[in-house]
mmCIF file of all heavy atoms in Angstrom:
data_model
loop_
_atom_site.group_PDB
_atom_site.id
_atom_site.type_symbol
_atom_site.label_atom_id
_atom_site.label_comp_id
_atom_site.label_asym_id
_atom_site.label_seq_id
_atom_site.Cartn_x
_atom_site.Cartn_y
_atom_site.Cartn_z
ATOM 1 N N ARG A 953 135.750 15.968 -102.578
ATOM 2 C CA ARG A 953 135.394 17.274 -103.159
ATOM 3 C C ARG A 953 135.926 17.317 -104.581
ATOM 4 O O ARG A 953 137.094 17.033 -104.823
ATOM 5 C CB ARG A 953 136.002 18.393 -102.311
ATOM 6 C CG ARG A 953 135.930 19.792 -102.898
ATOM 7 C CD ARG A 953 134.514 20.366 -102.881
ATOM 8 N NE ARG A 953 134.504 21.809 -102.941
ATOM 9 C CZ ARG A 953 134.661 22.546 -104.037
ATOM 10 N NH1 ARG A 953 134.873 21.973 -105.206
ATOM 11 N NH2 ARG A 953 134.597 23.859 -103.970
ATOM 12 N N LYS A 954 135.061 17.650 -105.529
ATOM 13 C CA LYS A 954 135.489 17.817 -106.918
ATOM 14 C C LYS A 954 135.810 19.293 -107.139
ATOM 15 O O LYS A 954 135.206 20.166 -106.518
ATOM 16 C CB LYS A 954 134.405 17.371 -107.889
ATOM 17 C CG LYS A 954 134.176 15.875 -107.859
ATOM 18 C CD LYS A 954 133.176 15.447 -108.895
ATOM 19 C CE LYS A 954 132.965 13.937 -108.807
ATOM 20 N NZ LYS A 954 132.086 13.456 -109.858
ATOM 21 N N ALA A 955 136.758 19.546 -108.018
ATOM 22 C CA ALA A 955 137.138 20.919 -108.349
ATOM 23 C C ALA A 955 137.564 20.963 -109.809
ATOM 24 O O ALA A 955 138.083 19.986 -110.352
ATOM 25 C CB ALA A 955 138.279 21.405 -107.459
ATOM 26 N N THR A 956 137.339 22.109 -110.441
ATOM 27 C CA THR A 956 137.725 22.304 -111.834
ATOM 28 C C THR A 956 138.994 23.140 -111.883
ATOM 29 O O THR A 956 139.062 24.196 -111.255
ATOM 30 C CB THR A 956 136.593 23.013 -112.607
ATOM 31 O OG1 THR A 956 135.411 22.214 -112.508
ATOM 32 C CG2 THR A 956 136.961 23.180 -114.075
ATOM 33 N N VAL A 957 139.977 22.671 -112.630
ATOM 34 C CA VAL A 957 141.269 23.362 -112.735
ATOM 35 C C VAL A 957 141.071 24.689 -113.469
ATOM 36 O O VAL A 957 140.647 24.706 -114.629
ATOM 37 C CB VAL A 957 142.312 22.487 -113.466
ATOM 38 C CG1 VAL A 957 143.624 23.230 -113.633
ATOM 39 C CG2 VAL A 957 142.514 21.166 -112.726
ATOM 40 N N ALA A 958 141.386 25.789 -112.797
ATOM 41 C CA ALA A 958 141.174 27.119 -113.369
ATOM 42 C C ALA A 958 142.424 27.693 -114.043
ATOM 43 O O ALA A 958 142.306 28.507 -114.954
ATOM 44 C CB ALA A 958 140.693 28.085 -112.293
ATOM 45 N N ASP A 987 138.805 13.085 -112.252
ATOM 46 C CA ASP A 987 137.438 12.633 -112.081
ATOM 47 C C ASP A 987 137.207 11.400 -112.946
ATOM 48 O O ASP A 987 137.583 11.368 -114.117
ATOM 49 C CB ASP A 987 136.470 13.753 -112.479
ATOM 50 C CG ASP A 987 135.032 13.439 -112.122
ATOM 51 O OD1 ASP A 987 134.802 12.659 -111.168
ATOM 52 O OD2 ASP A 987 134.127 13.985 -112.782
ATOM 53 N N GLY A 1011 140.321 23.368 -117.105
ATOM 54 C CA GLY A 1011 138.976 22.859 -117.327
ATOM 55 C C GLY A 1011 138.747 21.422 -116.895
ATOM 56 O O GLY A 1011 137.596 20.981 -116.827
ATOM 57 N N ASP A 1012 139.823 20.679 -116.592
ATOM 58 C CA ASP A 1012 139.660 19.305 -116.124
ATOM 59 C C ASP A 1012 139.086 19.295 -114.710
ATOM 60 O O ASP A 1012 139.355 20.193 -113.914
ATOM 61 C CB ASP A 1012 141.003 18.566 -116.102
ATOM 62 C CG ASP A 1012 141.486 18.170 -117.483
ATOM 63 O OD1 ASP A 1012 140.697 18.250 -118.448
ATOM 64 O OD2 ASP A 1012 142.667 17.783 -117.606
ATOM 65 N N VAL A 1013 138.340 18.257 -114.408
ATOM 66 C CA VAL A 1013 137.788 18.089 -113.068
ATOM 67 C C VAL A 1013 138.639 17.067 -112.324
ATOM 68 O O VAL A 1013 138.923 15.984 -112.840
ATOM 69 C CB VAL A 1013 136.315 17.631 -113.119
ATOM 70 C CG1 VAL A 1013 135.779 17.373 -111.708
ATOM 71 C CG2 VAL A 1013 135.466 18.674 -113.834
ATOM 72 N N ILE A 1014 139.063 17.447 -111.119
ATOM 73 C CA ILE A 1014 139.841 16.542 -110.280
ATOM 74 C C ILE A 1014 139.019 16.231 -109.030
ATOM 75 O O ILE A 1014 138.077 16.937 -108.694
ATOM 76 C CB ILE A 1014 141.225 17.133 -109.914
ATOM 77 C CG1 ILE A 1014 141.119 18.523 -109.253
ATOM 78 C CG2 ILE A 1014 142.109 17.238 -111.133
ATOM 79 C CD1 ILE A 1014 141.056 18.458 -107.775
ATOM 80 N N VAL A 1015 139.407 15.152 -108.355
ATOM 81 C CA VAL A 1015 138.721 14.736 -107.131
ATOM 82 C C VAL A 1015 139.740 14.704 -106.002
ATOM 83 O O VAL A 1015 140.779 14.052 -106.108
ATOM 84 C CB VAL A 1015 138.070 13.345 -107.285
ATOM 85 C CG1 VAL A 1015 137.355 12.945 -106.008
ATOM 86 C CG2 VAL A 1015 137.122 13.320 -108.466
ATOM 87 N N LEU A 1016 139.432 15.414 -104.934
ATOM 88 C CA LEU A 1016 140.248 15.418 -103.724
ATOM 89 C C LEU A 1016 139.552 14.557 -102.683
ATOM 90 O O LEU A 1016 138.329 14.619 -102.540
ATOM 91 C CB LEU A 1016 140.387 16.841 -103.186
ATOM 92 C CG LEU A 1016 141.002 17.861 -104.137
ATOM 93 C CD1 LEU A 1016 140.857 19.260 -103.576
ATOM 94 C CD2 LEU A 1016 142.459 17.527 -104.383
ATOM 95 N N LEU A 1027 139.550 20.006 -97.590
ATOM 96 C CA LEU A 1027 139.307 19.805 -99.023
ATOM 97 C C LEU A 1027 138.728 21.061 -99.652
ATOM 98 O O LEU A 1027 139.057 21.400 -100.791
ATOM 99 C CB LEU A 1027 138.391 18.614 -99.257
ATOM 100 C CG LEU A 1027 138.945 17.250 -98.845
ATOM 101 C CD1 LEU A 1027 137.964 16.144 -99.214
ATOM 102 C CD2 LEU A 1027 140.316 16.986 -99.439
ATOM 103 N N LEU A 1030 141.587 23.471 -100.262
ATOM 104 C CA LEU A 1030 142.405 23.028 -101.391
ATOM 105 C C LEU A 1030 141.666 23.215 -102.717
ATOM 106 O O LEU A 1030 142.275 23.574 -103.726
ATOM 107 C CB LEU A 1030 142.825 21.570 -101.212
ATOM 108 C CG LEU A 1030 143.818 21.301 -100.079
ATOM 109 C CD1 LEU A 1030 144.046 19.808 -99.916
ATOM 110 C CD2 LEU A 1030 145.133 22.024 -100.315
ATOM 111 N N ALA A 1031 140.371 22.987 -102.707
ATOM 112 C CA ALA A 1031 139.575 23.169 -103.927
ATOM 113 C C ALA A 1031 139.622 24.628 -104.377
ATOM 114 O O ALA A 1031 139.687 24.914 -105.574
ATOM 115 C CB ALA A 1031 138.141 22.715 -103.702
ATOM 116 N N ARG A 1032 139.614 25.555 -103.432
ATOM 117 C CA ARG A 1032 139.700 26.977 -103.789
ATOM 118 C C ARG A 1032 141.017 27.280 -104.509
ATOM 119 O O ARG A 1032 141.055 28.103 -105.419
ATOM 120 C CB ARG A 1032 139.558 27.858 -102.548
ATOM 121 C CG ARG A 1032 138.116 28.048 -102.116
ATOM 122 C CD ARG A 1032 137.953 29.181 -101.123
ATOM 123 N NE ARG A 1032 138.688 28.979 -99.880
ATOM 124 C CZ ARG A 1032 138.220 28.329 -98.817
ATOM 125 N NH1 ARG A 1032 137.011 27.808 -98.858
ATOM 126 N NH2 ARG A 1032 138.947 28.212 -97.729
ATOM 127 N N ILE A 1034 142.687 25.125 -106.420
ATOM 128 C CA ILE A 1034 142.524 24.543 -107.764
ATOM 129 C C ILE A 1034 141.654 25.445 -108.632
ATOM 130 O O ILE A 1034 141.899 25.605 -109.825
ATOM 131 C CB ILE A 1034 141.879 23.137 -107.677
ATOM 132 C CG1 ILE A 1034 142.796 22.158 -106.968
ATOM 133 C CG2 ILE A 1034 141.482 22.622 -109.068
ATOM 134 C CD1 ILE A 1034 144.015 21.738 -107.734
ATOM 135 N N GLU A 1035 140.638 26.041 -108.033
ATOM 136 C CA GLU A 1035 139.663 26.832 -108.790
ATOM 137 C C GLU A 1035 140.074 28.299 -108.961
ATOM 138 O O GLU A 1035 139.277 29.117 -109.376
ATOM 139 C CB GLU A 1035 138.299 26.718 -108.108
ATOM 140 C CG GLU A 1035 137.756 25.285 -108.199
ATOM 141 C CD GLU A 1035 136.503 25.039 -107.390
ATOM 142 O OE1 GLU A 1035 136.217 25.822 -106.458
ATOM 143 O OE2 GLU A 1035 135.805 24.058 -107.690
#
Side-chain angles (χ1 to χ4, degrees):
R953 170 72 158 80
K954 292 184 181 185
T956 302
V957 177
D987 189 26
D1012 285 348
V1013 176
I1014 55 92
V1015 181
L1016 302 170
L1027 295 184
L1030 291 174
R1032 280 195 299 273
I1034 295 289
E1035 294 172 340

